[in-house]
Amino acid sequence: MDDWDTVTKIGSKTTGGASQRETVVRGKAALNAAQRSGNIIGTEKKFATGNPASKSAVEGQRLTKVDRSDDIVPVQKVNPEIGAAIRDRRSKDPYKMTQSDLAKKVNAQANDIKTLESGQAIKNQALLNKVARILKISAKTGKPLDEEPPKASSSKK
């Protein structure tokens, strides 16, 4: 048997029939022993391992980590001006109600309304839209929607 008949492969398994079975080396010690014995050593790098369907998700996770490593994005909070507009509108006569009454109308907790009015709430656009619809204010600016703008006086001389 000469050197052409025995091959040591790293990273693949084969089943041997009549010929000598290829050896899979795992670890540095076994690789060094194969080199000292004078066997021919072939190395192969596996590129596509695992489930190919999950490969894209792993890549996406890596890219997300790269994106997050650059800077820390602060949590977006409700504009305090909108909170003040909600508080003012809720205390006026046609819409006069408590925080708990408003919370019941929008199907939320009274604490959510409290934090929304104080400007400390994390921006929840769905809750903000519900409150704005009940109080008839703009969810973006906090300005009243039902007040008519002042009419421009047209004076003809």
Side-chain angles (χ1 to χ4, degrees):
M1 184 186 274
D2 58 355
D3 287 341
W4 292 105
D5 294 332
T6 59
V7 176
T8 302
K9 278 192 162 183
I10 299 172
S12 66
K13 292 182 180 179
T14 59
T15 56
S19 65
Q20 185 179 0
R21 183 170 188 236
E22 295 176 348
T23 307
V24 177
V25 177
R26 298 187 193 276
K28 204 71 163 153
L31 178 62
N32 289 336
Q35 288 174 336
R36 280 192 301 271
S37 68
N39 291 336
I40 299 171
I41 300 172
T43 59
E44 295 177 10
K45 175 78 174 162
K46 290 185 178 181
F47 289 102
T49 59
N51 187 358
S54 67
K55 193 68 173 170
S56 62
V58 173
E59 183 67 16
Q61 288 173 356
R62 187 190 68 77
L63 291 175
T64 303
K65 285 181 183 178
V66 170
D67 286 344
R68 288 183 182 164
S69 67
D70 293 338
D71 58 342
I72 298 172
V73 179
V75 177
Q76 193 174 15
K77 299 211 175 195
V78 175
N79 189 349
E81 294 174 2
I82 295 175
I86 291 171
R87 184 173 46 252
D88 293 341
R89 188 70 165 191
R90 182 181 55 82
S91 63
K92 288 189 178 177
D93 196 20
Y95 304 101
K96 191 160 184 77
M97 63 184 89
T98 63
Q99 288 178 343
S100 60
D101 292 339
L102 180 59
K104 286 177 187 173
K105 286 189 175 187
V106 297
N107 196 18
Q109 299 290 322
N111 194 32
D112 294 341
I113 302 299
K114 177 183 171 187
T115 56
L116 191 67
E117 287 181 356
S118 68
Q120 298 298 318
I122 295 172
K123 192 165 189 177
N124 180 352
Q125 196 64 43
L127 177 63
L128 194 58
N129 288 340
K130 288 178 184 178
V131 170
R133 192 175 329 119
I134 295 291
L135 297 177
K136 295 185 177 143
I137 60 172
S138 170
K140 292 183 180 179
T141 62
K143 294 181 181 176
L145 297 177
D146 60 354
E147 291 180 5
E148 294 182 21
K151 296 180 180 178
S153 60
S154 60
S155 58
K156 295 183 181 179
K157 291 184 180 181

